Amino acid sequence: MTDDLISEMKAEFESGGNWPYEPGEHGFTANPFAEKWPDPRLFAGYEDELRRLRENIQRNVNTFIIGPFGTGKTILTKTMYDVLADVDGYLPVFVSVQKGRYSKAMAKRILDELGEPVDPAAAQADLYEDVTAALQERYENDVRTVMFYDEVINGSDGTLRQILHLQRDIEDWEPVFVFNGTAHMLDQIQSKIEPLSDRIGDEITLSGLDSDGAFDLVNKRLRYYCAASERGERVGCSHDEDGVEPFTRDAIDLIHQDVTPYPRHLRRQCNTVIEEGARAERERIDFDFVRRVLAEDASQKLEQLSDLARDIVGHLDDDGPNTANAVTEVLDVSPYHVQESLTDLEKEGLIRATEGTRGIEYKLTDQASRELSNLTQS
């Protein structure tokens, strides 16, 4: 009895106390949009880019996947990682790049992914030699290693040079590299580390999902997590390939239009909306309900901004889309702090980055612009 109570309490903490949620013929024991790590089984919206990455890997072409935060770079590469894990003759290695130099922790992670023993007392140089020896051994045994470096923007010049040396130091062979990062990071590689830049054979740019991609993302998650889904233990779920219940189609359309259409932002907004729907035990999550929830969410985020972030938002509202350099000049603040605030605002879904005539420009999302106007008037 006590065990059941403890399990119930843990579930309520994890779900916010709003679950299970059973709108109409559907049932969700947990929020379909709440998981922290992307699930490759729910991949949606970038099918063409995934095929292109597959072709590059088969042709031994190093690839840089470009996109702002939240565009889906990690789920794209993690999906390919899981695909390769089930293909004979391939060995994928996934490395989250840490800030600073090529650290011992990163070398240990690579060895762990390769299934090699790790000496916790080994020096960094020794660990590096262990990595190169392990990769060389697999090459000699006809195993192709594909190295995925996630969020390479975190890496310093030293990190990137070590990655370059890793590819150079494997005798008669170069492991295939797939990098994730922003356009700013790719520019940095091209300007500072030309030998590594020369080895990047293709660039895949992710710019966000169209409306069909957004519907696909929502549909897959709802079908997968619905307690009565055909993918679960029971049958009878009425979700079909176009079903987004309890959402209405125009509600999903509103979410797609009002926030930056990146998978991470779409998931987070759907997460917020369905939590409110579950709390209110709504049978349908329609256009008006979504509009109200998104307005409250944007208003709350705007009220909690730092002074610099508030100044940036005000400037973009007054002057329209602008580059980071232009914002820096107007506000007379260090470029580092401006870029940091812009990144945070983008992660919160209040601004979006777009390719403009002067480079990357930032502008307010429609929802943020409306709520900023409401806050100013009030």
PDB file of all heavy atoms in Angstrom, residues 273-302:
ATOM      1  N   VAL A 273       0.220  24.345 -23.344  1.00  0.00           N
ATOM      2  CA  VAL A 273      -1.209  24.382 -23.650  1.00  0.00           C
ATOM      3  C   VAL A 273      -1.918  23.130 -23.140  1.00  0.00           C
ATOM      4  O   VAL A 273      -2.988  23.210 -22.519  1.00  0.00           O
ATOM      5  CB  VAL A 273      -1.427  24.532 -25.173  1.00  0.00           C
ATOM      6  CG1 VAL A 273      -2.895  24.321 -25.530  1.00  0.00           C
ATOM      7  CG2 VAL A 273      -0.973  25.920 -25.634  1.00  0.00           C
ATOM      8  N   ILE A 274      -1.322  21.944 -23.369  1.00  0.00           N
ATOM      9  CA  ILE A 274      -2.017  20.720 -22.963  1.00  0.00           C
ATOM     10  C   ILE A 274      -2.025  20.564 -21.439  1.00  0.00           C
ATOM     11  O   ILE A 274      -2.938  19.963 -20.873  1.00  0.00           O
ATOM     12  CB  ILE A 274      -1.407  19.476 -23.651  1.00  0.00           C
ATOM     13  CG1 ILE A 274      -2.430  18.332 -23.653  1.00  0.00           C
ATOM     14  CG2 ILE A 274      -0.104  19.058 -23.002  1.00  0.00           C
ATOM     15  CD1 ILE A 274      -2.032  17.146 -24.507  1.00  0.00           C
ATOM     16  N   GLU A 275      -1.009  21.130 -20.758  1.00  0.00           N
ATOM     17  CA  GLU A 275      -1.047  21.135 -19.291  1.00  0.00           C
ATOM     18  C   GLU A 275      -2.259  21.920 -18.797  1.00  0.00           C
ATOM     19  O   GLU A 275      -2.961  21.488 -17.877  1.00  0.00           O
ATOM     20  CB  GLU A 275       0.238  21.745 -18.724  1.00  0.00           C
ATOM     21  CG  GLU A 275       1.455  20.833 -18.756  1.00  0.00           C
ATOM     22  CD  GLU A 275       1.413  19.772 -17.671  1.00  0.00           C
ATOM     23  OE1 GLU A 275       0.468  19.779 -16.851  1.00  0.00           O
ATOM     24  OE2 GLU A 275       2.318  18.919 -17.656  1.00  0.00           O
ATOM     25  N   GLU A 276      -2.491  23.063 -19.419  1.00  0.00           N
ATOM     26  CA  GLU A 276      -3.652  23.869 -19.032  1.00  0.00           C
ATOM     27  C   GLU A 276      -4.952  23.154 -19.397  1.00  0.00           C
ATOM     28  O   GLU A 276      -5.938  23.216 -18.658  1.00  0.00           O
ATOM     29  CB  GLU A 276      -3.589  25.240 -19.704  1.00  0.00           C
ATOM     30  CG  GLU A 276      -2.460  26.133 -19.202  1.00  0.00           C
ATOM     31  CD  GLU A 276      -2.612  26.448 -17.724  1.00  0.00           C
ATOM     32  OE1 GLU A 276      -3.753  26.630 -17.255  1.00  0.00           O
ATOM     33  OE2 GLU A 276      -1.578  26.496 -17.022  1.00  0.00           O
ATOM     34  N   GLY A 277      -4.948  22.482 -20.555  1.00  0.00           N
ATOM     35  CA  GLY A 277      -6.130  21.732 -20.956  1.00  0.00           C
ATOM     36  C   GLY A 277      -6.428  20.592 -19.999  1.00  0.00           C
ATOM     37  O   GLY A 277      -7.592  20.337 -19.653  1.00  0.00           O
ATOM     38  N   ALA A 278      -5.376  19.899 -19.541  1.00  0.00           N
ATOM     39  CA  ALA A 278      -5.554  18.800 -18.592  1.00  0.00           C
ATOM     40  C   ALA A 278      -6.036  19.322 -17.245  1.00  0.00           C
ATOM     41  O   ALA A 278      -6.897  18.715 -16.594  1.00  0.00           O
ATOM     42  CB  ALA A 278      -4.238  18.031 -18.439  1.00  0.00           C
ATOM     43  N   ARG A 279      -5.478  20.465 -16.811  1.00  0.00           N
ATOM     44  CA  ARG A 279      -5.874  21.045 -15.527  1.00  0.00           C
ATOM     45  C   ARG A 279      -7.358  21.422 -15.542  1.00  0.00           C
ATOM     46  O   ARG A 279      -8.061  21.251 -14.542  1.00  0.00           O
ATOM     47  CB  ARG A 279      -5.012  22.268 -15.229  1.00  0.00           C
ATOM     48  CG  ARG A 279      -5.293  22.912 -13.881  1.00  0.00           C
ATOM     49  CD  ARG A 279      -4.350  24.063 -13.596  1.00  0.00           C
ATOM     50  NE  ARG A 279      -2.980  23.582 -13.429  1.00  0.00           N
ATOM     51  CZ  ARG A 279      -1.981  23.844 -14.256  1.00  0.00           C
ATOM     52  NH1 ARG A 279      -2.198  24.589 -15.331  1.00  0.00           N
ATOM     53  NH2 ARG A 279      -0.779  23.381 -14.043  1.00  0.00           N
ATOM     54  N   ALA A 280      -7.810  21.928 -16.695  1.00  0.00           N
ATOM     55  CA  ALA A 280      -9.214  22.333 -16.814  1.00  0.00           C
ATOM     56  C   ALA A 280     -10.119  21.186 -17.255  1.00  0.00           C
ATOM     57  O   ALA A 280     -11.333  21.386 -17.390  1.00  0.00           O
ATOM     58  CB  ALA A 280      -9.330  23.488 -17.815  1.00  0.00           C
ATOM     59  N   GLU A 281      -9.520  20.011 -17.506  1.00  0.00           N
ATOM     60  CA  GLU A 281     -10.262  18.826 -17.945  1.00  0.00           C
ATOM     61  C   GLU A 281     -11.106  19.129 -19.182  1.00  0.00           C
ATOM     62  O   GLU A 281     -12.270  18.736 -19.296  1.00  0.00           O
ATOM     63  CB  GLU A 281     -11.143  18.280 -16.816  1.00  0.00           C
ATOM     64  CG  GLU A 281     -10.349  17.843 -15.593  1.00  0.00           C
ATOM     65  CD  GLU A 281     -11.230  17.260 -14.498  1.00  0.00           C
ATOM     66  OE1 GLU A 281     -12.473  17.414 -14.593  1.00  0.00           O
ATOM     67  OE2 GLU A 281     -10.684  16.647 -13.568  1.00  0.00           O
ATOM     68  N   ARG A 282     -10.490  19.797 -20.140  1.00  0.00           N
ATOM     69  CA  ARG A 282     -11.202  20.167 -21.365  1.00  0.00           C
ATOM     70  C   ARG A 282     -11.300  18.980 -22.322  1.00  0.00           C
ATOM     71  O   ARG A 282     -10.334  18.240 -22.515  1.00  0.00           O
ATOM     72  CB  ARG A 282     -10.495  21.328 -22.063  1.00  0.00           C
ATOM     73  CG  ARG A 282     -10.552  22.648 -21.304  1.00  0.00           C
ATOM     74  CD  ARG A 282      -9.888  23.743 -22.119  1.00  0.00           C
ATOM     75  NE  ARG A 282     -10.591  24.015 -23.365  1.00  0.00           N
ATOM     76  CZ  ARG A 282     -11.554  24.915 -23.524  1.00  0.00           C
ATOM     77  NH1 ARG A 282     -11.966  25.632 -22.483  1.00  0.00           N
ATOM     78  NH2 ARG A 282     -12.110  25.105 -24.701  1.00  0.00           N
ATOM     79  N   GLU A 283     -12.461  18.859 -22.949  1.00  0.00           N
ATOM     80  CA  GLU A 283     -12.638  17.832 -23.974  1.00  0.00           C
ATOM     81  C   GLU A 283     -11.972  18.252 -25.275  1.00  0.00           C
ATOM     82  O   GLU A 283     -11.480  17.410 -26.025  1.00  0.00           O
ATOM     83  CB  GLU A 283     -14.135  17.588 -24.216  1.00  0.00           C
ATOM     84  CG  GLU A 283     -14.838  16.885 -23.066  1.00  0.00           C
ATOM     85  CD  GLU A 283     -14.429  15.431 -22.954  1.00  0.00           C
ATOM     86  OE1 GLU A 283     -14.519  14.689 -23.947  1.00  0.00           O
ATOM     87  OE2 GLU A 283     -14.000  15.030 -21.848  1.00  0.00           O
ATOM     88  N   ARG A 284     -11.962  19.559 -25.544  1.00  0.00           N
ATOM     89  CA  ARG A 284     -11.361  20.076 -26.785  1.00  0.00           C
ATOM     90  C   ARG A 284     -10.460  21.252 -26.444  1.00  0.00           C
ATOM     91  O   ARG A 284     -10.809  22.120 -25.634  1.00  0.00           O
ATOM     92  CB  ARG A 284     -12.447  20.534 -27.773  1.00  0.00           C
ATOM     93  CG  ARG A 284     -13.319  19.422 -28.303  1.00  0.00           C
ATOM     94  CD  ARG A 284     -14.469  19.954 -29.144  1.00  0.00           C
ATOM     95  NE  ARG A 284     -14.010  20.500 -30.425  1.00  0.00           N
ATOM     96  CZ  ARG A 284     -14.025  21.789 -30.742  1.00  0.00           C
ATOM     97  NH1 ARG A 284     -14.438  22.688 -29.862  1.00  0.00           N
ATOM     98  NH2 ARG A 284     -13.629  22.186 -31.918  1.00  0.00           N
ATOM     99  N   ILE A 285      -9.306  21.270 -27.086  1.00  0.00           N
ATOM    100  CA  ILE A 285      -8.380  22.400 -26.967  1.00  0.00           C
ATOM    101  C   ILE A 285      -8.474  23.159 -28.281  1.00  0.00           C
ATOM    102  O   ILE A 285      -7.851  22.793 -29.286  1.00  0.00           O
ATOM    103  CB  ILE A 285      -6.948  21.911 -26.689  1.00  0.00           C
ATOM    104  CG1 ILE A 285      -6.894  21.162 -25.355  1.00  0.00           C
ATOM    105  CG2 ILE A 285      -5.963  23.072 -26.680  1.00  0.00           C
ATOM    106  CD1 ILE A 285      -5.536  20.591 -25.011  1.00  0.00           C
ATOM    107  N   ASP A 286      -9.287  24.212 -28.288  1.00  0.00           N
ATOM    108  CA  ASP A 286      -9.590  24.890 -29.538  1.00  0.00           C
ATOM    109  C   ASP A 286      -8.805  26.198 -29.687  1.00  0.00           C
ATOM    110  O   ASP A 286      -7.962  26.545 -28.851  1.00  0.00           O
ATOM    111  CB  ASP A 286     -11.090  25.154 -29.648  1.00  0.00           C
ATOM    112  CG  ASP A 286     -11.632  25.959 -28.462  1.00  0.00           C
ATOM    113  OD1 ASP A 286     -10.831  26.590 -27.745  1.00  0.00           O
ATOM    114  OD2 ASP A 286     -12.868  25.943 -28.246  1.00  0.00           O
ATOM    115  N   PHE A 287      -9.104  26.922 -30.750  1.00  0.00           N
ATOM    116  CA  PHE A 287      -8.385  28.134 -31.118  1.00  0.00           C
ATOM    117  C   PHE A 287      -8.417  29.161 -29.996  1.00  0.00           C
ATOM    118  O   PHE A 287      -7.380  29.711 -29.612  1.00  0.00           O
ATOM    119  CB  PHE A 287      -9.004  28.711 -32.399  1.00  0.00           C
ATOM    120  CG  PHE A 287      -8.322  29.933 -32.921  1.00  0.00           C
ATOM    121  CD1 PHE A 287      -7.338  29.846 -33.898  1.00  0.00           C
ATOM    122  CD2 PHE A 287      -8.675  31.203 -32.465  1.00  0.00           C
ATOM    123  CE1 PHE A 287      -6.719  30.981 -34.395  1.00  0.00           C
ATOM    124  CE2 PHE A 287      -8.056  32.345 -32.947  1.00  0.00           C
ATOM    125  CZ  PHE A 287      -7.080  32.219 -33.922  1.00  0.00           C
ATOM    126  N   ASP A 288      -9.583  29.444 -29.457  1.00  0.00           N
ATOM    127  CA  ASP A 288      -9.710  30.479 -28.433  1.00  0.00           C
ATOM    128  C   ASP A 288      -8.956  30.109 -27.158  1.00  0.00           C
ATOM    129  O   ASP A 288      -8.329  30.965 -26.523  1.00  0.00           O
ATOM    130  CB  ASP A 288     -11.194  30.720 -28.106  1.00  0.00           C
ATOM    131  CG  ASP A 288     -11.937  31.399 -29.247  1.00  0.00           C
ATOM    132  OD1 ASP A 288     -11.266  32.061 -30.066  1.00  0.00           O
ATOM    133  OD2 ASP A 288     -13.176  31.246 -29.339  1.00  0.00           O
ATOM    134  N   PHE A 289      -9.018  28.836 -26.786  1.00  0.00           N
ATOM    135  CA  PHE A 289      -8.309  28.401 -25.578  1.00  0.00           C
ATOM    136  C   PHE A 289      -6.796  28.548 -25.771  1.00  0.00           C
ATOM    137  O   PHE A 289      -6.091  29.049 -24.885  1.00  0.00           O
ATOM    138  CB  PHE A 289      -8.667  26.950 -25.263  1.00  0.00           C
ATOM    139  CG  PHE A 289      -7.994  26.416 -24.028  1.00  0.00           C
ATOM    140  CD1 PHE A 289      -8.451  26.769 -22.769  1.00  0.00           C
ATOM    141  CD2 PHE A 289      -6.893  25.564 -24.121  1.00  0.00           C
ATOM    142  CE1 PHE A 289      -7.832  26.282 -21.618  1.00  0.00           C
ATOM    143  CE2 PHE A 289      -6.274  25.074 -22.994  1.00  0.00           C
ATOM    144  CZ  PHE A 289      -6.735  25.436 -21.738  1.00  0.00           C
ATOM    145  N   VAL A 290      -6.285  28.132 -26.926  1.00  0.00           N
ATOM    146  CA  VAL A 290      -4.846  28.247 -27.208  1.00  0.00           C
ATOM    147  C   VAL A 290      -4.421  29.703 -27.221  1.00  0.00           C
ATOM    148  O   VAL A 290      -3.373  30.065 -26.669  1.00  0.00           O
ATOM    149  CB  VAL A 290      -4.510  27.566 -28.547  1.00  0.00           C
ATOM    150  CG1 VAL A 290      -3.087  27.922 -28.992  1.00  0.00           C
ATOM    151  CG2 VAL A 290      -4.650  26.054 -28.426  1.00  0.00           C
ATOM    152  N   ARG A 291      -5.221  30.557 -27.835  1.00  0.00           N
ATOM    153  CA  ARG A 291      -4.865  31.976 -27.891  1.00  0.00           C
ATOM    154  C   ARG A 291      -4.750  32.566 -26.496  1.00  0.00           C
ATOM    155  O   ARG A 291      -3.823  33.328 -26.204  1.00  0.00           O
ATOM    156  CB  ARG A 291      -5.906  32.750 -28.707  1.00  0.00           C
ATOM    157  CG  ARG A 291      -5.591  34.233 -28.838  1.00  0.00           C
ATOM    158  CD  ARG A 291      -6.503  34.900 -29.839  1.00  0.00           C
ATOM    159  NE  ARG A 291      -7.918  34.731 -29.501  1.00  0.00           N
ATOM    160  CZ  ARG A 291      -8.912  35.185 -30.262  1.00  0.00           C
ATOM    161  NH1 ARG A 291      -8.638  35.799 -31.399  1.00  0.00           N
ATOM    162  NH2 ARG A 291     -10.174  35.006 -29.888  1.00  0.00           N
ATOM    163  N   ARG A 292      -5.647  32.194 -25.606  1.00  0.00           N
ATOM    164  CA  ARG A 292      -5.615  32.709 -24.240  1.00  0.00           C
ATOM    165  C   ARG A 292      -4.387  32.187 -23.479  1.00  0.00           C
ATOM    166  O   ARG A 292      -3.709  32.945 -22.795  1.00  0.00           O
ATOM    167  CB  ARG A 292      -6.898  32.313 -23.507  1.00  0.00           C
ATOM    168  CG  ARG A 292      -6.996  32.881 -22.090  1.00  0.00           C
ATOM    169  CD  ARG A 292      -8.377  32.731 -21.521  1.00  0.00           C
ATOM    170  NE  ARG A 292      -8.733  31.345 -21.247  1.00  0.00           N
ATOM    171  CZ  ARG A 292      -9.580  30.629 -21.963  1.00  0.00           C
ATOM    172  NH1 ARG A 292     -10.175  31.170 -23.024  1.00  0.00           N
ATOM    173  NH2 ARG A 292      -9.864  29.383 -21.638  1.00  0.00           N
ATOM    174  N   VAL A 293      -4.091  30.895 -23.628  1.00  0.00           N
ATOM    175  CA  VAL A 293      -2.945  30.321 -22.918  1.00  0.00           C
ATOM    176  C   VAL A 293      -1.632  30.912 -23.432  1.00  0.00           C
ATOM    177  O   VAL A 293      -0.745  31.263 -22.638  1.00  0.00           O
ATOM    178  CB  VAL A 293      -2.929  28.785 -23.076  1.00  0.00           C
ATOM    179  CG1 VAL A 293      -1.647  28.202 -22.500  1.00  0.00           C
ATOM    180  CG2 VAL A 293      -4.135  28.167 -22.376  1.00  0.00           C
ATOM    181  N   LEU A 294      -1.497  31.051 -24.739  1.00  0.00           N
ATOM    182  CA  LEU A 294      -0.266  31.608 -25.299  1.00  0.00           C
ATOM    183  C   LEU A 294      -0.077  33.067 -24.879  1.00  0.00           C
ATOM    184  O   LEU A 294       1.048  33.507 -24.627  1.00  0.00           O
ATOM    185  CB  LEU A 294      -0.279  31.512 -26.827  1.00  0.00           C
ATOM    186  CG  LEU A 294      -0.210  30.111 -27.431  1.00  0.00           C
ATOM    187  CD1 LEU A 294      -0.132  30.197 -28.949  1.00  0.00           C
ATOM    188  CD2 LEU A 294       0.980  29.335 -26.888  1.00  0.00           C
ATOM    189  N   ALA A 295      -1.181  33.805 -24.813  1.00  0.00           N
ATOM    190  CA  ALA A 295      -1.091  35.204 -24.392  1.00  0.00           C
ATOM    191  C   ALA A 295      -0.613  35.299 -22.947  1.00  0.00           C
ATOM    192  O   ALA A 295       0.256  36.120 -22.618  1.00  0.00           O
ATOM    193  CB  ALA A 295      -2.449  35.882 -24.552  1.00  0.00           C
ATOM    194  N   GLU A 296      -1.168  34.474 -22.083  1.00  0.00           N
ATOM    195  CA  GLU A 296      -0.749  34.486 -20.674  1.00  0.00           C
ATOM    196  C   GLU A 296       0.709  34.065 -20.525  1.00  0.00           C
ATOM    197  O   GLU A 296       1.452  34.634 -19.723  1.00  0.00           O
ATOM    198  CB  GLU A 296      -1.657  33.558 -19.862  1.00  0.00           C
ATOM    199  CG  GLU A 296      -3.092  34.049 -19.756  1.00  0.00           C
ATOM    200  CD  GLU A 296      -4.013  33.025 -19.125  1.00  0.00           C
ATOM    201  OE1 GLU A 296      -3.534  31.887 -18.855  1.00  0.00           O
ATOM    202  OE2 GLU A 296      -5.202  33.332 -18.898  1.00  0.00           O
ATOM    203  N   ASP A 297       1.127  33.076 -21.305  1.00  0.00           N
ATOM    204  CA  ASP A 297       2.504  32.587 -21.230  1.00  0.00           C
ATOM    205  C   ASP A 297       3.487  33.667 -21.690  1.00  0.00           C
ATOM    206  O   ASP A 297       4.505  33.919 -21.033  1.00  0.00           O
ATOM    207  CB  ASP A 297       2.644  31.330 -22.097  1.00  0.00           C
ATOM    208  CG  ASP A 297       4.011  30.706 -21.991  1.00  0.00           C
ATOM    209  OD1 ASP A 297       4.447  30.383 -20.874  1.00  0.00           O
ATOM    210  OD2 ASP A 297       4.666  30.532 -23.045  1.00  0.00           O
ATOM    211  N   ALA A 298       3.193  34.312 -22.817  1.00  0.00           N
ATOM    212  CA  ALA A 298       4.070  35.364 -23.323  1.00  0.00           C
ATOM    213  C   ALA A 298       4.123  36.548 -22.371  1.00  0.00           C
ATOM    214  O   ALA A 298       5.186  37.133 -22.134  1.00  0.00           O
ATOM    215  CB  ALA A 298       3.601  35.819 -24.710  1.00  0.00           C
ATOM    216  N   SER A 299       2.982  36.910 -21.804  1.00  0.00           N
ATOM    217  CA  SER A 299       2.930  38.032 -20.866  1.00  0.00           C
ATOM    218  C   SER A 299       3.797  37.762 -19.646  1.00  0.00           C
ATOM    219  O   SER A 299       4.546  38.632 -19.180  1.00  0.00           O
ATOM    220  CB  SER A 299       1.478  38.289 -20.448  1.00  0.00           C
ATOM    221  OG  SER A 299       1.410  39.334 -19.502  1.00  0.00           O
ATOM    222  N   GLN A 300       3.707  36.545 -19.125  1.00  0.00           N
ATOM    223  CA  GLN A 300       4.499  36.181 -17.951  1.00  0.00           C
ATOM    224  C   GLN A 300       5.999  36.228 -18.260  1.00  0.00           C
ATOM    225  O   GLN A 300       6.791  36.721 -17.463  1.00  0.00           O
ATOM    226  CB  GLN A 300       4.098  34.789 -17.468  1.00  0.00           C
ATOM    227  CG  GLN A 300       4.792  34.356 -16.183  1.00  0.00           C
ATOM    228  CD  GLN A 300       4.312  32.992 -15.713  1.00  0.00           C
ATOM    229  OE1 GLN A 300       3.840  32.188 -16.504  1.00  0.00           O
ATOM    230  NE2 GLN A 300       4.427  32.742 -14.428  1.00  0.00           N
ATOM    231  N   LYS A 301       6.384  35.724 -19.417  1.00  0.00           N
ATOM    232  CA  LYS A 301       7.798  35.737 -19.801  1.00  0.00           C
ATOM    233  C   LYS A 301       8.314  37.172 -19.957  1.00  0.00           C
ATOM    234  O   LYS A 301       9.430  37.491 -19.540  1.00  0.00           O
ATOM    235  CB  LYS A 301       7.998  34.962 -21.112  1.00  0.00           C
ATOM    236  CG  LYS A 301       7.834  33.459 -20.973  1.00  0.00           C
ATOM    237  CD  LYS A 301       7.960  32.788 -22.331  1.00  0.00           C
ATOM    238  CE  LYS A 301       7.808  31.276 -22.203  1.00  0.00           C
ATOM    239  NZ  LYS A 301       7.854  30.593 -23.524  1.00  0.00           N
ATOM    240  N   LEU A 302       7.514  38.042 -20.556  1.00  0.00           N
ATOM    241  CA  LEU A 302       7.931  39.425 -20.757  1.00  0.00           C
ATOM    242  C   LEU A 302       8.092  40.150 -19.429  1.00  0.00           C
ATOM    243  O   LEU A 302       9.007  40.966 -19.264  1.00  0.00           O
ATOM    244  CB  LEU A 302       6.908  40.155 -21.634  1.00  0.00           C
ATOM    245  CG  LEU A 302       6.887  39.760 -23.119  1.00  0.00           C
ATOM    246  CD1 LEU A 302       5.655  40.335 -23.807  1.00  0.00           C
ATOM    247  CD2 LEU A 302       8.164  40.232 -23.820  1.00  0.00           C
TER     248      LEU A 302
END
